[in-house]
């Protein structure tokens, strides 16, 4: 008995060690578990830029971006994340975890896109519309979101605790958020968003609403901000027409640093002022030409114009941005050729958005972006 017991114990130990993991799992866990599907992608982009208000007559050609995308799905769960490295800084673009309750409902948490305006964004160009530069297009914040859809309609409801980085003094970010500067030490402090869209044939109409607070770190006072918008997208054969009308409003108080009807935003390493209250209108027209040959799959040409009109004109002035260009696609290779013209407009020689820059004049720049997306 003594001699036979030891080999039996040894055999049992070996069997347990070599048994598959599923041997120890409850039957319900085995049924619920599925192997995750993992996809890794990314992009590399080169950029040439020439500005008529710069001393460099040759322009600048450089590596603009390297990014990594991760997409993981398992059962009803998924992960979608993207991180970006630019020339001078790196930043999160988005990082969200989602649960697909059923075919019509999804719950999302993390750094996710703010539902406001045309989904996923209004622009056809690399440059985006003027709404992007006041934080109302392709913005990403940290919170929770519910997406639902029915027969011809879809809706989003979200609460955001703060911007993607809960630090108004961090300017190295992709999204345009409230910034903390020496004059205006503010940051975002909670925000509710809702959007509904209805599609009838080739036409989509929608409405968006946003209500939130911001806090001043010097006075500890809180201010309110809100935005509302109506939007439309129409497809007419190879033509696409889209338009937006928006109103945004930030509280203007001495204790918030906004008594001069300005508030600071930041992105891409720089803070700048925008008009605290303004009406934004945007109209985009695009046409797609399909080729499907060895060199080109399609070319989409467009014109996008945005007018931002401050509601108070004390030291403020309307900003205009017009982007004319074409996007050339071949497989994973996308090339944007854009001519950007603007007046009182950030990134086109202006001091901010809605901020008077002295003698009014148009400024322009040529931008060519070549990217391979994999």
């Amino acid at each position: 008995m003594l001699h036979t017991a030891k080999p039996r114990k040894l055999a049992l130990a070996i069997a347990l060690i070599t048994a598959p993991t599923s041997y120890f799992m409850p039957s319900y866990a085995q049924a619920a578990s599925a192997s995750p599907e993992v996809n890794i992608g990314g992009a590399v982009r080169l950029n040439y830029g020439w500005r008529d208000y710069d001393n460099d007559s040759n322009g600048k050609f450089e590596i603009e971006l390297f990014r990594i995308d991760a997409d993981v799905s398992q059962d009803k769960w998924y992960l979608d994340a993207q991180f970006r490295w630019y020339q001078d800084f790196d930043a999160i673009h988005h990082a969200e975890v989602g649960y697909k309750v059923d075919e019509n409902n999804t719950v999302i948490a993390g750094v996710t896109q703010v539902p406001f305006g045309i989904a996923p964004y209004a622009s056809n160009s690399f440059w985006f519309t003027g709404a992007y530069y006041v934080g109302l297009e392709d913005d990403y914040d940290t919170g929770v979101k519910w997406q639902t859809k029915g027969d011809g309609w879809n809706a989003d409801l979200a609460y955001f605790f703060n911007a993607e980085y809960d630090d108004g003094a961090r300017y190295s970010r992709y999204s345009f958020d409230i910034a903390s500067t020496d004059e205006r030490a503010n940051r975002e402090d909670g925000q509710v968003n809702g959007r509904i869209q209805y599609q009838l044939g080739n036409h989509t109409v929608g409405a968006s609403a946003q209500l939130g607070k911001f806090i001043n770190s010097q006075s500890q006072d809180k201010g309110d901000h809100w935005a509302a918008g109506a939007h439309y997208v129409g497809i007419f054969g190879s033509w696409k027409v889209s338009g937006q009308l928006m109103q945004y409003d930030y509280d203007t108080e001495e204790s918030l640093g906004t008594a001069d009807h300005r508030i600071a935003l930041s992105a891409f390493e720089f803070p700048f002022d925008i008009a605290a209250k303004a009406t934004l209108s945007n109209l985009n027209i695009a046409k797609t030409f399909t080729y499907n040959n060895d060199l080109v799959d399609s070319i989409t040409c467009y014109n996008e114009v945005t007018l931002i009109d401050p509601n108070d004109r004390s030291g403020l002035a309307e900003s205009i941005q017009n982007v004319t260009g074409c996007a050339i696609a071949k497989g994973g290779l996308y090339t944007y050729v854009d001519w950007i013209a603007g007046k009182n407009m950030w990134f086109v020689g202006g001091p901010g958005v809605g901020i008077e820059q002295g003698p009014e004049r148009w400024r322009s720049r040529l931008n060519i972006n070549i990217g391979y997306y994999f």
Side-chain angles (χ1 to χ4, degrees):
M1 291 291 295
L2 292 178
H3 294 284
T4 58
K6 186 173 181 181
R8 287 176 181 174
K9 290 181 180 179
L10 179 61
L12 177 61
I14 294 173
L16 290 173
I17 292 173
T18 57
T21 306
S22 60
Y23 181 86
F24 302 97
M25 296 175 64
S27 58
Y28 68 85
Q30 295 181 43
S33 178
S35 299
E37 296 182 10
V38 181
N39 293 295
I40 302 298
V44 177
R45 298 199 308 228
L46 305 174
N47 199 85
Y48 171 79
W50 176 88
R51 300 179 290 190
D52 67 2
Y53 50 94
D54 201 342
N55 293 326
D56 187 359
S57 59
N58 293 321
K60 182 182 293 187
F61 187 54
E62 60 188 358
I63 295 177
E64 181 252 340
L65 168 77
F66 174 75
R67 85 181 199 202
I68 289 293
D69 304 322
D71 184 4
V72 183
S73 60
Q74 185 173 20
D75 298 323
K76 291 186 175 184
W77 293 88
Y78 74 86
L79 165 70
D80 184 10
Q82 183 185 114
F83 198 85
R84 297 185 169 199
W85 290 265
Y86 291 93
Q87 272 282 340
D88 302 314
F89 73 97
D90 54 76
I92 190 75
H93 183 268
H94 67 272
E96 63 183 34
V97 175
Y99 178 73
K100 298 178 180 179
V101 180
D102 54 42
E103 61 180 9
N104 293 326
N105 295 275
T106 303
V107 179
I108 299 166
V111 180
T112 185
Q113 190 182 57
V114 176
F116 194 91
I118 294 171
Y121 38 77
S123 180
N124 303 284
S125 71
F126 175 80
W127 210 251
F128 285 110
T129 74
Y132 174 60
Y133 302 94
V134 294
L136 296 177
E137 181 179 355
D138 203 35
D139 181 30
Y140 294 83
D141 290 335
T142 304
V144 292
K145 182 167 62 177
W146 171 46
Q147 294 180 328
T148 184
K149 61 183 179 179
D151 186 14
W153 62 272
N154 63 81
D156 305 81
L157 182 63
Y159 177 78
F160 297 98
F161 298 90
N162 44 255
E164 69 272 33
Y165 297 108
D166 190 20
D167 180 3
R170 173 170 177 153
Y171 307 146
S172 53
R173 60 179 71 215
Y174 168 81
S175 297
F176 284 78
D177 298 304
I178 295 175
S180 178
T181 65
D182 293 339
E183 297 81 12
R184 317 176 198 281
N186 297 310
R187 61 176 173 83
E188 297 178 14
D189 191 43
Q191 177 177 300
V192 177
N193 279 83
R195 176 176 61 194
I196 187 166
Q197 299 179 107
Y198 181 74
Q199 183 175 353
L200 181 61
N202 293 327
H203 306 274
T204 303
V205 294
S208 301
Q210 175 175 296
L211 180 64
K213 289 187 176 293
F214 62 100
I215 185 171
N216 187 280
S217 62
Q218 295 174 348
S219 68
Q220 295 302 308
D221 281 357
K222 289 188 177 183
D224 296 321
H225 69 88
W226 63 267
H231 27 94
Y232 165 80
V233 178
I235 306 298
F236 304 88
S238 61
W239 291 86
K240 177 182 177 182
V241 177
S242 60
Q244 302 183 113
L245 180 63
M246 301 174 176
Q247 176 71 38
Y248 72 84
D249 189 308
Y250 293 88
D251 276 355
T252 52
E253 302 290 344
E254 190 70 38
S255 62
L256 299 171
T258 58
D260 58 353
H261 300 277
R262 306 177 183 202
I263 191 167
L265 302 187
S266 72
F268 292 89
E269 293 199 293
F270 292 100
F272 61 98
D273 286 350
I274 69 169
K277 303 177 182 182
T279 303
L280 184 150
S281 52
N282 164 236
L283 177 63
N284 306 331
I285 300 175
K287 180 176 175 59
T288 298
F289 304 87
T290 303
Y291 298 97
N292 292 325
N293 58 38
D294 291 340
L295 299 177
V296 178
D297 290 334
S298 66
I299 299 176
T300 300
C301 295
Y302 42 79
N303 190 81
E304 305 177 344
V305 61
T306 306
L307 171 65
I308 302 171
D309 189 14
N311 300 152
D312 183 281
R313 290 305 183 92
S314 178
L316 304 176
E318 67 179 13
S319 289
I320 303 174
Q321 175 180 288
N322 190 89
V323 182
T324 303
C326 293
I328 307 165
K330 177 59 185 178
L333 184 66
Y334 288 83
T335 301
Y336 293 90
V337 181
D338 293 329
W339 180 261
I340 306 101
K343 182 174 68 171
N344 293 327
M345 190 64 195
W346 183 243
F347 273 120
V348 197
V353 180
I355 309 301
E356 189 174 12
Q357 67 179 31
E360 291 190 359
R361 57 165 295 188
W362 284 84
R363 301 180 187 275
S364 57
R365 60 191 294 170
L366 171 67
N367 199 80
I368 302 174
N369 191 273
I370 305 168
Y372 188 81
Y373 299 80
F374 56 91

